[in-house]
Amino acid sequence: MADFYENKQVTEEVILVGVALGETSVTDESLDELEELAKTAGAVTVGRLIQNREMIHPGTYLGKGKLEELAFLISETHATGIICDDELSPAQMANMEDVLDIKVMDRTLLILDIFAQRATTREGKIQVELAQLRYRATRLVGMRNSLSRLGGGIGTRGPGEKKLEVDRRLIRERISQLKRELEDVKRHREVARQQRQRNQIPVAAIVGYTNAGKSTLLNRLTGAGVLEEDKLFATLDPTTRNLTLDDGQELLLTDTVGFIHKLPHHLVDAFRSTLEEAKYADILIHMVDASNPQAEMHMHVVYETLAALDIKDKKIITVFNKTDLIQDQESLVSLKDFRADYTVTASVKQGTGLDALLSTVQTILRANKLLIERVFDYAHAGEIAVIRKYGQLLEERYQEDGIYVKAYIPKDIYARLSF
């Protein structure tokens, strides 16, 4: 019997709440994604409610009438919590809890919770805790009354104010410590990056909306063994693996954390160092779930996030993935990405489209190289080793007058050879 209670898990049953400032359909689609987020966090959605308003209510998120409707829905469904589709102010969260007498969460808190569950590396855990503390720090003032109901009048310093100052100091100190630890991790990452640059190994970063198939692509091409799951943010920590192309060119392939609509700014700041892997990549492989009705919006979110991180001037290959799930081929034909340099259609899980993707990668890499055909005299045979290390040796033939070489080599390496 004891084992039964130890293994039994209490499932959170939640109601999703949104405010439509424009078209209701847009908010409804956003709640669909919120439901997926809730599912990833381990909650079950038992209802949803949308209010059409010109602006979000500054005190209670919803208007008085909708709050009464929500209270009735909570009673009918026996929900244990509600999740709002926008980031709530401390006052909005506290007021809703007072009126509804139920746990109130917002989209940011839900995403932070998922990230906390998914982080496994030291860097990931540091970044998640940093984001959580920043989120909490902005809410301390609004929590003042709940910290203590006593004192705090004009010209006095009540217990609530004192507790607030203590919390502020502890959070500030912890944030400073985490920043130092993150800088240490960042230095190690920078050393590894410089080593790659010295070795002239190109890097391709896989970016895209969450659950677009980034980890599946990494596993398919490199056998990385990264978790694949049909959930948002199935993997959080970045993984880099070596890939050898058909022409012998070595490439480092890096998976990055997925982007999402209304990504909390706390997370953008905290994960900046991780996402900077894309900043230093030579190629961006942009994964898009072509079967998702919101594919266009997802692409827009990705490009917005890349711009916020100042990631630009990269060769971009957009991969329209999961084409096997599309019944209407006209929908696939209509998908375009005018900001990409190349586009490829694929079903990574089924193994289709991978050859076209790798061929496109080779085309981009070769564009930055020079094709040479020449005979090196035996006195300069050592230079062929340089070509082997940094270039692609297509042909090597020993002749009476020297060594015939046909190869692609980086432009900066070409300047170092004796011609």
Side-chain angles (χ1 to χ4, degrees):
M1 185 65 72
D3 289 339
F4 171 79
Y5 284 108
E6 285 175 12
N7 294 327
K8 186 178 180 182
Q9 293 182 341
V10 178
T11 302
E12 196 87 55
E13 296 184 337
V14 298
I15 295 172
L16 309 180
V17 181
V19 173
L21 303 177
E23 293 183 17
T24 305
S25 59
V26 174
T27 305
D28 204 40
E29 288 160 358
S30 188
L31 288 189
D32 289 341
E33 183 175 86
L34 192 65
E35 183 171 348
E36 284 298 311
L37 286 168
K39 178 184 174 184
T40 300
V44 174
T45 299
V46 294
R48 59 167 68 187
L49 182 143
I50 295 175
Q51 180 175 25
N52 292 290
R53 290 179 62 91
E54 289 186 2
M55 60 177 290
I56 291 172
H57 193 288
T60 52
Y61 187 62
L62 301 174
K64 184 179 178 182
K66 275 296 178 185
L67 278 176
E68 291 174 356
E69 188 180 329
L70 180 57
F72 178 76
L73 187 58
I74 291 168
S75 174
E76 286 289 300
T77 60
H78 305 289
T80 57
I82 67 168
I83 305 175
C84 297
D85 194 37
D86 299 281
E87 185 169 318
L88 301 178
S89 70
Q92 286 171 329
M93 192 172 287
N95 291 338
M96 290 186 78
E97 286 182 346
D98 287 344
V99 172
L100 300 170
D101 192 27
I102 196 172
K103 183 197 298 183
V104 177
M105 295 159 278
D106 62 12
R107 188 183 184 96
T108 299
L109 197 59
L110 180 62
I111 293 174
L112 286 172
D113 183 53
I114 293 169
F115 273 48
Q117 292 177 32
R118 300 287 177 170
T120 55
T121 66
R122 175 171 171 252
E123 181 179 11
K125 289 175 180 177
I126 291 172
Q127 289 172 326
V128 169
E129 187 180 351
L130 191 57
Q132 288 175 322
L133 288 172
R134 282 174 170 160
Y135 175 84
R136 187 181 172 196
T138 60
R139 279 150 175 73
L140 281 179
V141 175
M143 292 165 59
R144 182 179 299 167
N145 291 334
S146 65
L147 291 170
S148 174
R149 300 287 181 185
L150 303 173
I154 296 174
T156 65
R157 188 183 296 272
E161 192 75 13
K162 191 174 182 181
K163 176 72 165 62
L164 178 65
E165 289 179 355
V166 170
D167 279 3
R168 272 182 177 155
R169 178 174 55 80
L170 291 174
I171 287 176
R172 194 163 54 243
E173 289 174 356
R174 181 60 179 158
I175 285 176
S176 296
Q177 181 186 346
L178 290 171
K179 280 183 175 179
R180 288 193 296 271
E181 291 181 24
L182 202 55
E183 281 300 315
D184 185 47
V185 173
K186 197 173 179 180
R187 279 192 294 273
H188 285 292
R189 187 187 293 279
E190 185 62 34
V191 169
R193 187 181 294 133
Q194 289 173 357
Q195 182 62 43
R196 291 201 299 264
Q197 289 172 345
R198 281 196 296 271
N199 291 339
Q200 297 285 319
I201 301 176
V203 178
I206 308 171
V207 300
Y209 209 79
T210 182
N211 203 29
K214 297 183 300 299
S215 298
T216 306
L217 178 65
L218 186 71
N219 287 340
R220 267 283 181 175
L221 295 179
T222 69
V226 175
L227 173 68
E228 296 175 30
E229 206 172 350
D230 189 20
K231 288 184 178 180
L232 304 185
F233 300 116
T235 53
L236 176 61
D237 300 301
T239 304
T240 301
R241 292 290 184 271
N242 190 280
L243 172 66
T244 303
L245 301 173
D246 290 340
D247 59 6
Q249 168 75 63
E250 284 192 4
L251 176 75
L252 288 175
L253 203 57
T254 298
D255 187 13
T256 61
V257 63
F259 302 156
I260 194 167
H261 182 50
K262 299 180 183 178
L263 181 68
H265 65 274
H266 309 284
L267 286 175
V268 173
D269 291 340
F271 281 83
R272 189 172 294 273
S273 62
T274 302
L275 292 169
E276 276 184 350
E277 285 300 301
K279 190 172 185 176
Y280 294 98
D282 301 282
I283 301 170
L284 296 183
I285 299 176
H286 175 200
M287 299 296 291
V288 178
D289 179 357
S291 68
N292 194 304
Q294 298 303 305
E296 294 279 357
M297 185 271 284
H298 292 178
M299 287 191 285
H300 178 70
V301 169
V302 169
Y303 283 117
E304 270 194 337
T305 308
L306 291 174
L309 294 165
D310 198 31
I311 298 172
K312 55 188 178 182
D313 301 327
K314 305 288 180 186
K315 288 293 183 183
I316 298 175
I317 307 171
T318 291
V319 179
F320 290 115
N321 189 29
K322 305 187 183 182
T323 54
D324 57 306
L325 301 180
I326 298 176
Q327 304 298 326
D328 179 15
Q329 287 303 306
E330 287 186 11
S331 300
L332 179 59
V333 173
S334 66
L335 274 174
K336 307 287 183 187
D337 184 1
F338 296 105
R339 284 172 284 195
D341 299 283
Y342 303 87
T343 57
V344 174
T345 56
S347 173
V348 175
K349 203 164 190 177
Q350 304 298 323
T352 61
L354 297 180
D355 289 341
L357 171 61
L358 294 178
S359 176
T360 306
V361 170
Q362 288 176 340
T363 299
I364 294 173
L365 293 178
R366 282 183 177 173
N368 295 320
K369 295 178 180 178
L370 297 172
L371 177 64
I372 63 164
E373 280 187 87
R374 64 154 296 170
V375 176
F376 288 84
D377 60 53
Y378 286 100
H380 293 98
E383 293 190 348
I384 298 174
V386 176
I387 294 173
R388 282 200 193 96
K389 184 175 182 180
Y390 299 117
Q392 295 166 251
L393 193 58
L394 303 178
E395 193 176 343
E396 181 181 4
R397 193 167 61 244
Y398 288 81
Q399 305 172 166
E400 287 186 12
D401 56 341
I403 308 168
Y404 168 79
V405 169
K406 182 179 180 181
Y408 281 102
I409 57 173
K411 294 174 182 177
D412 56 339
I413 298 299
Y414 179 84
R416 290 161 48 183
L417 298 176
S418 301
F419 287 106

